[in-house]
Amino acid sequence: MGCADVQELGWPSDAMNTGDTSTGRRAILIVANGYPSLERPWKCPFNHRAVKAIEPFWNPSVITMRSWLPWRRAQLFSYDGIRVREVLVPHLLAMPRVLFDCRRRDRFSFRRLALLASIGCMANQIRKSLGSIELIHSIAAGRHAFAAQKVADEIGVPHIVQLIGSEVTMLDDAFARSDSFKKWIGGVHFFIANSKSLQIAFEKKTGLSLPITTIYRGVDTTVFTPRSPKFQPTNNRAYHVLYLGGHIHRAFNRQGADTKGADLLLRAWKLIELESSIKARLVIGGPMIDERGVKLFLQNLKYPERVTCLGALAAEDVPHVIRQADVLAIPSRMEGLPNVCLEAMACGVPVVATAVGGLSEVVLSETNGVLVPPDDVDALAAALINLFHNPSLIFQLGVKARKRVVEHFDSRDYGLKLIKVYNAAVAEQRKPIRS
């Protein structure tokens, strides 16, 4: 079912969720930093998986943020049976950095004004979508989570915030220790972190010791499976290296922060090309891939025909694309715990990744994958070249990668763990965390 008007869907124009009296499921509002649709199925599919994981137990509806553009209209639609309302918000990061100086307390701050205005707008849209709910769950600690907190305080329901990675790693240190941020923290009932390293990073940023529960999102090991029959790589075939980090355009834009490390991989690939005995192929894909930037990169390669650009992928295409790879590269500079890491390992594809964020919680170097120092192009290239020269090692790492994910990161446990937090929050009856 695609996007439609409220009347066409048969929903009231204001409330989206009033609970499910037929099954006794409580109503919950998910406020997400992004969500897939039929037009953009590649947008934050992991958020949708989280909502589907709780759907058997709670009755969810979703509000998702999308950047405002003059010609764009907010939509109310259904995606895979989940009710979703878009809220258009200004993309503040596009404004000059000088406007974001939150440390100038004695001066008028455009940042503070813009933040308050966007938070107020989001809070108003959340109010329109409430219905009769018992809990609000914000995915990511962004502006939308501030707006959700305002509404949760007004209607007297618990508010849970899920720390996902980018919102924490890129959080301004001064703002994280400000009084306004501490006040917001004091109203949140529970924090959930997608990895232990993310939990530690958030506490370090805020300078507070907080009750944070680490819940790994996990991966559906019945969907992400090894190719069948599983084969062992040989020296006579061209190896396929896969990169699904997106944001390739940032490798060619000095003003952008390429946190996914696309530029590092592209530089490492030039070193790999110098190995005449290696006939490897690079497949790149993910959201916001700039094909023009990729073409500029290809012009400087010896074998440009060995690089393929897939662009954004639909969620249902990801397992097949991963299965065709021999190795997945994750050259990130900052991370929480990328879902693609677990997805590749579940498919029996070993990961070569930088030792940042939660990656080291999943990838055990030289056991089920390879970890390299961040920002080290030579180490990244050397790790990939070593695997190309040792095809049996690729197979061995892949088998152990699959085993680790099945044993410790199966998504079937994710929904149940979230429900325990939800039930605890409701039982607390508005006893917020104190900073």
Side-chain angles (χ1 to χ4, degrees):
M1 187 176 187
C3 298
D5 293 334
V6 178
Q7 291 77 10
E8 182 181 336
L9 290 169
W11 299 337
S13 60
D14 48 2
M16 289 174 61
N17 202 340
T18 57
D20 189 339
T21 56
S22 63
T23 62
R25 292 184 304 163
R26 294 169 169 171
I28 181 173
L29 180 66
I30 308 292
V31 184
N33 57 329
Y35 208 80
S37 63
L38 291 181
E39 291 77 10
R40 301 189 305 161
W42 47 265
K43 182 65 175 177
C44 300
F46 36 81
N47 286 347
H48 178 62
R49 292 173 200 159
V51 174
K52 294 297 286 187
I54 67 170
E55 189 182 22
F57 312 99
W58 283 64
N59 187 29
S61 57
V62 176
I63 288 183
T64 182
M65 307 299 120
R66 193 174 184 189
S67 296
W68 175 87
L69 291 172
W71 58 86
R72 182 171 290 163
R73 294 181 59 190
Q75 299 185 30
L76 177 63
F77 60 94
S78 177
Y79 183 80
D80 192 18
I82 302 298
R83 294 160 292 186
V84 184
R85 183 195 294 274
E86 285 184 342
V87 174
L88 302 182
V89 295
H91 188 56
L92 297 182
L93 293 179
M95 299 170 65
R97 189 170 183 81
V98 68
L99 300 183
F100 293 115
D101 189 356
C102 62
R103 287 164 285 191
R104 301 190 311 180
R105 300 178 183 273
D106 58 333
R107 296 187 183 182
F108 178 78
S109 171
F110 281 99
R111 173 186 172 87
R112 192 170 293 109
L113 179 62
L115 282 174
L116 290 175
S118 62
I119 289 172
C121 173
M122 285 184 276
N124 187 50
Q125 292 299 313
I126 292 173
R127 292 186 191 98
K128 293 181 179 179
S129 306
L130 284 176
S132 177
I133 64 169
E134 294 190 48
L135 188 143
I136 298 178
H137 175 177
S138 294
I139 302 178
R143 290 174 288 162
H144 59 288
F146 276 71
Q149 184 61 56
K150 286 173 62 71
V151 177
D153 286 338
E154 292 171 3
I155 64 176
V157 300
H159 180 214
I160 293 173
V161 175
Q162 182 175 354
L163 308 175
I164 64 169
S166 58
E167 298 289 346
V168 174
T169 54
M170 300 183 71
L171 181 63
D172 180 81
D173 290 341
F175 182 59
R177 293 174 180 262
S178 67
D179 292 339
S180 58
F181 197 77
K182 289 181 179 179
K183 181 180 179 182
W184 171 74
I185 288 176
V188 176
H189 272 67
F190 290 101
F191 284 98
I192 300 169
N194 285 351
S195 68
K196 292 180 180 178
S197 63
L198 194 59
Q199 173 183 340
I200 295 171
F202 189 66
E203 291 179 338
K204 185 177 180 180
K205 286 263 188 180
T206 61
L208 303 173
S209 179
L210 301 169
I212 303 176
T213 301
T214 295
I215 303 179
Y216 296 105
R217 277 175 168 164
V219 63
D220 189 337
T221 56
T222 65
V223 173
F224 290 89
T225 57
R227 72 177 86 180
S228 182
K230 179 68 177 176
F231 71 97
Q232 296 194 36
T234 66
N235 288 320
N236 299 322
R237 64 185 299 273
Y239 299 98
H240 284 65
V241 178
L242 178 64
Y243 169 78
L244 291 180
H247 302 296
I248 288 290
H249 68 290
R250 293 183 180 177
F252 306 93
N253 180 3
R254 294 182 179 180
Q255 296 178 351
D258 189 7
T259 59
K260 293 295 183 180
D263 59 319
L264 301 174
L265 179 60
L266 299 186
R267 286 154 56 194
W269 195 254
K270 291 183 179 181
L271 299 178
I272 293 172
E273 278 198 320
L274 298 178
E275 292 282 325
S276 58
S277 61
I278 295 175
K279 297 180 181 179
R281 300 187 64 87
L282 174 63
V283 179
I284 56 180
M288 300 177 69
I289 294 292
D290 178 15
E291 294 187 11
R292 179 175 175 273
V294 174
K295 289 179 180 179
L296 292 175
F297 164 66
L298 295 180
Q299 292 175 3
N300 297 318
L301 292 182
K302 184 177 181 180
Y303 303 107
E305 69 278 3
R306 296 180 183 176
V307 178
T308 302
C309 179
L310 299 178
L313 298 174
E316 60 269 20
D317 295 331
V318 173
H320 173 73
V321 171
I322 291 178
R323 289 190 196 103
Q324 307 311 306
D326 296 299
V327 180
L328 177 79
I330 306 180
S332 303
R333 291 183 171 92
M334 295 187 293
E335 276 295 355
L337 178 54
N339 289 271
V340 70
C341 174
L342 297 174
E343 293 167 352
M345 293 175 66
C347 291
V349 176
V351 174
V352 174
T354 47
V356 297
L359 287 166
S360 58
E361 297 172 35
V362 184
V363 180
L364 307 180
S365 195
E366 311 302 330
T367 299
N368 56 27
V370 181
L371 292 176
V372 299
D375 267 310
D376 192 332
V377 173
D378 292 336
L380 178 60
L384 290 169
I385 291 172
N386 179 59
L387 289 179
F388 299 153
H389 286 311
N390 296 276
S392 62
L393 181 58
I394 295 178
F395 178 78
Q396 294 168 11
L397 294 177
V399 171
K400 293 179 180 179
R402 166 75 181 178
K403 184 174 185 292
R404 178 158 174 77
V405 169
V406 169
E407 292 179 351
H408 300 286
F409 299 96
D410 194 307
S411 63
R412 284 175 288 188
D413 298 329
Y414 181 63
L416 294 175
K417 291 178 180 179
L418 281 179
I419 295 307
K420 288 183 180 179
V421 176
Y422 292 170
N423 292 340
V426 172
E428 279 288 320
Q429 291 297 321
R430 299 301 295 167
K431 295 179 182 178
I433 297 168
R434 300 302 176 187
S435 59

